[in-house]
Amino acid sequence: MDFVNQALLLAATLLLFAVPFMLVASALGGRSAVPTLSLRLGLSQEAAADLSHLFASSAATSAAISGVSWVFFVLAGVVVASSLQQLYQQVFRLPTRGPRDRLRALIWLVLCVAWLAGGSTLGYEIHTSVPVLWWFLNIPVFIGFFWFTMWFLLAGRIGWRTLLPCAFATGTFWIGMVAFFNLVLSQMVVNSNREYGPIGAVFALMSLFIAIGVVIILGAATGMTWQDRGMSVRAAVARLRRTS
């Protein structure tokens, strides 16, 4: 139950804070967030059109950002980063460190935005020209991303070697999740939009956010189980040799 609750809490945080942050960040960069989502999630033209009805144009969004909106924009990003940080602290049973943790969350947010901005442009070119290569490159990229994310947000209190199984599991689950939603999300968006109207697309996105929460928690828990039981590829091969 705690596993499910944590996934739902993270999904709600993503919907309330990550989506507005992503929309504003994309608008400030002069592009819409819908093409990026369509590329990464393999949305059909009909699903992308249904999803685009939820969002204002990038020009309208960027024009509306002023004063208090800037404060909310920054706070929304920090809330998402801090939520992920606190989740990892709970998984690895580490105490919080107050303002130092929030500073690390803010720095991670800046690095993450820069990584996404560069990766979206390069990823679009690779996906358009060599889609198979795009999938193969995503595996080590996301493993490395989660490996660094866990180490940085935890302030290096867990070693790189200990975090590797967690990062490997999370990155693998993430690619599996993306592949699954590439197959089903377009139909989910279209069907939900027909049944419930524009709010139906939000229901479809919420299922994606819940899956993201499950992947992040399950990946870290799987890696910790791997470590706690002293499992390794070398040990598994040795056991097979002894039994044979």
Side-chain angles (χ1 to χ4, degrees):
M1 291 300 298
D2 184 60
F3 178 86
V4 175
N5 287 336
Q6 291 294 336
L8 289 175
L9 287 173
L10 183 58
T13 301
L14 292 175
L15 181 62
L16 292 174
F17 295 99
V19 172
F21 181 86
M22 179 186 65
L23 294 176
V24 173
S26 299
L28 292 175
R31 61 182 184 276
S32 172
V34 176
T36 302
L37 287 174
S38 301
L39 170 67
R40 294 191 176 277
L41 300 175
L43 294 180
S44 63
Q45 291 184 354
E46 185 178 4
D50 291 340
L51 201 61
S52 65
H53 295 158
L54 297 174
F55 311 129
S57 65
S58 58
T61 301
S62 59
I65 299 299
S66 61
V68 179
S69 300
W70 278 105
V71 177
F72 179 79
F73 169 65
V74 175
L75 287 179
V78 173
V79 167
V80 174
S82 297
S83 298
L84 183 59
Q85 184 181 53
Q86 291 171 7
L87 179 62
Y88 281 134
Q89 287 172 346
Q90 292 177 9
V91 171
F92 292 100
R93 300 175 183 176
L94 294 174
T96 60
R97 305 183 311 150
R100 290 180 294 175
D101 282 341
R102 287 189 286 273
L103 178 60
R104 278 190 169 267
L106 179 60
I107 295 174
W108 176 85
L109 177 67
V110 174
L111 295 175
C112 185
V113 170
W115 176 74
L116 289 175
S120 296
T121 303
L122 181 61
Y124 179 81
E125 296 177 357
I126 297 176
H127 188 274
T128 304
S129 56
V130 192
V132 176
L133 178 61
W134 183 82
W135 280 101
F136 278 106
L137 287 177
N138 269 327
I139 297 175
V141 166
F142 278 105
I143 290 175
F145 171 77
F146 285 110
W147 197 11
F148 171 79
T149 293
M150 285 185 278
W151 177 84
F152 188 82
L153 291 180
L154 296 175
R157 288 178 286 176
I158 304 294
W160 287 102
R161 186 173 181 178
T162 302
L163 293 175
L164 180 57
C166 303
F168 183 85
T170 307
T172 303
F173 293 155
W174 184 277
I175 296 300
M177 178 196 70
V178 172
F180 173 77
F181 277 99
N182 265 258
L183 296 175
V184 304
L185 187 60
S186 291
Q187 198 61 39
M188 289 173 61
V189 171
V190 173
N191 291 341
S192 297
N193 187 71
R194 289 174 181 172
E195 294 177 9
Y196 308 110
I199 191 64
V202 178
F203 297 156
L205 287 178
M206 193 63 188
S207 65
L208 172 64
F209 295 147
I210 293 174
I212 290 174
V214 170
V215 163
I216 291 175
I217 299 172
L218 184 61
T222 300
M224 289 300 295
T225 302
W226 184 278
Q227 287 286 342
D228 292 342
R229 298 192 177 186
M231 301 168 65
S232 67
V233 176
R234 183 181 299 177
V237 172
R239 291 192 192 98
L240 288 174
R241 288 179 178 176
R242 286 197 298 268
T243 54
S244 62

